[in-house]
Amino acid sequence: MNADMQDLLAFLAVVRAGGFREAARTSDASASSLSEAVRRLEARLGVRLLNRTTRSVAPTEVGTRLVERLLPALGEVEAALDVVNHYRDNPAGTLRINVPANVARTVLLPIITPFLKRYPDIRIEVVVEDSFVDLLAAGCDAGIRYDDRLEQDMIALPIGPRTQRFVTAAAPEYLAAHGTPRHPKDLLQHHCIRGQFAGGAMPVWEFERDGETLRIDALGPLLVRQGAAFDLAVGGALQGLGIIHLFEDWLRPHLDSGALLPILEPWCQAFSGPYLYYPGRRHLPAPLKAFVDFVRQQVPSA
């Protein structure tokens, strides 16, 4: 491959991963070789493409413009090469999916395990991110979210359970010490373990019963960022720190074991299941097409 192209790919890998070490983990190159490739590219172009600090790496304005022009061009190259895939007995390549943390934990695993066993030449990269992102700008082929109202030219396909619930629960130790809430408003007098979006906002807890909807903004001793940090929140609830309000599937093992006890069950709020979304272009890359077809086979017929 031409050296210029190799340096461009190294630059893109660093931008997508958000750092040299992170990019090295997902490529065959070392962090130092990626850094040297970006330096060569910057020297050749005569501009700085990345702002580097001890904690982060981010594209400059000109670096962002270069990424915006490169991604569609590389997408066309990948699409051209992917034509070969259609002449193979088994599709091959990499499928990059952007998903929220709870989807990675409760929805995706039961699907990708049989999928990868059926298609051993396909590799799936899962990017866990709870905010809604621009798929193409993030270098992803598809995403999973909980809303089928998507951007123009995107297709939404049901994936996983079609109905899910939030469950409110606490450890027996906590309930024995503080009592069991009988109404959602009682939570205002309890220790509640809360979540927080990356931007700082805290989603309120919603409850619904007989057409009545309540939004509770309770306080507590532990606040965690949405996503994988919820493992810490669950751990706190298991140790009697307070009451947790989370996806039922996430808490199910602890509910089944009795380590957590459900409360306010008549008020549990159900919501529609997630959707796989992807660009509605005519020719999908072979790994994505195989995954879409596989997911379609899992959706129960109406």
Side-chain angles (χ1 to χ4, degrees):
M1 183 181 294
N2 182 282
D4 289 352
M5 181 60 70
Q6 289 180 329
D7 292 347
L8 283 170
L9 293 176
F11 165 67
L12 275 178
V14 172
V15 171
R16 285 173 169 176
F20 292 98
R21 291 182 180 178
E22 293 77 4
R25 293 192 188 103
T26 58
S27 68
D28 296 329
S30 65
S32 59
S33 65
L34 290 171
S35 179
E36 181 58 32
V38 172
R39 287 196 186 94
R40 282 197 305 268
L41 184 61
E42 289 177 328
R44 193 177 304 120
L45 297 177
V47 294
R48 178 179 290 276
L49 298 174
L50 295 176
N51 287 321
R52 306 166 177 84
T53 69
T54 56
R55 294 186 176 182
S56 65
V57 173
T60 62
E61 181 178 358
V62 66
T64 299
R65 298 291 176 268
L66 180 59
V67 170
E68 291 173 352
R69 296 297 298 270
L70 282 174
L71 286 176
L74 287 175
E76 289 298 318
V77 172
E78 291 173 354
L81 293 173
D82 189 65
V83 171
V84 177
N85 248 330
H86 297 283
Y87 293 90
R88 294 168 49 94
D89 294 332
N90 296 304
T94 299
L95 173 62
R96 203 162 189 256
I97 305 178
N98 188 292
V99 304
N102 72 285
V103 166
R105 173 180 284 270
T106 65
V107 175
L108 198 55
L109 184 60
I111 295 173
I112 64 173
T113 298
F115 173 78
L116 290 174
K117 287 181 178 180
R118 180 182 296 186
Y119 299 104
D121 295 328
I122 291 179
R123 176 174 179 258
I124 293 182
E125 293 183 8
V126 179
V127 179
V128 178
E129 190 168 17
D130 282 276
S131 59
F132 196 87
V133 299
D134 183 326
L135 279 181
L136 297 181
C140 295
D141 301 295
I144 300 178
R145 288 297 184 275
Y146 278 91
D147 196 342
D148 61 347
R149 293 170 295 178
L150 305 171
E151 298 177 9
Q152 188 176 5
D153 299 327
M154 299 293 284
I155 295 176
L157 175 66
I159 185 172
R162 299 322 311 139
T163 302
Q164 292 183 282
R165 295 196 313 168
F166 279 108
V167 167
T168 311
E173 170 192 347
Y174 176 87
L175 297 176
H178 301 276
T180 301
R182 304 298 178 186
H183 190 278
K185 291 182 180 179
D186 295 341
L187 294 171
L188 297 173
Q189 309 303 319
H190 281 266
H191 300 159
C192 295
I193 300 173
R194 298 289 299 276
Q196 182 182 41
F197 290 122
M202 290 196 305
V204 297
W205 292 0
E206 294 192 2
F207 300 87
E208 184 177 358
R209 182 180 185 182
D210 299 330
E212 180 184 6
T213 300
L214 294 176
R215 295 163 59 87
I216 303 298
D217 191 9
L219 300 177
L222 180 62
L223 177 67
V224 301
R225 286 290 176 94
Q226 299 272 36
F230 266 128
D231 280 334
L232 177 62
V234 174
L238 289 169
Q239 295 180 24
L241 190 60
I243 296 173
I244 193 167
H245 183 75
L246 195 57
F247 293 91
E248 181 178 21
D249 292 342
W250 199 319
L251 297 180
R252 176 49 54 195
H254 308 300
L255 296 171
D256 289 344
S257 71
L260 291 177
L261 300 179
I263 60 176
L264 302 172
E265 289 189 90
W267 290 88
C268 284
Q269 187 181 49
F271 53 94
S272 61
Y275 290 82
L276 172 72
Y277 64 97
Y278 56 94
R281 53 185 179 234
R282 184 175 179 181
H283 299 291
L284 296 179
L288 176 56
K289 183 178 185 305
F291 189 71
V292 168
D293 291 343
F294 186 84
V295 170
R296 289 187 189 279
Q297 295 170 13
Q298 315 303 312
V299 179
S301 57

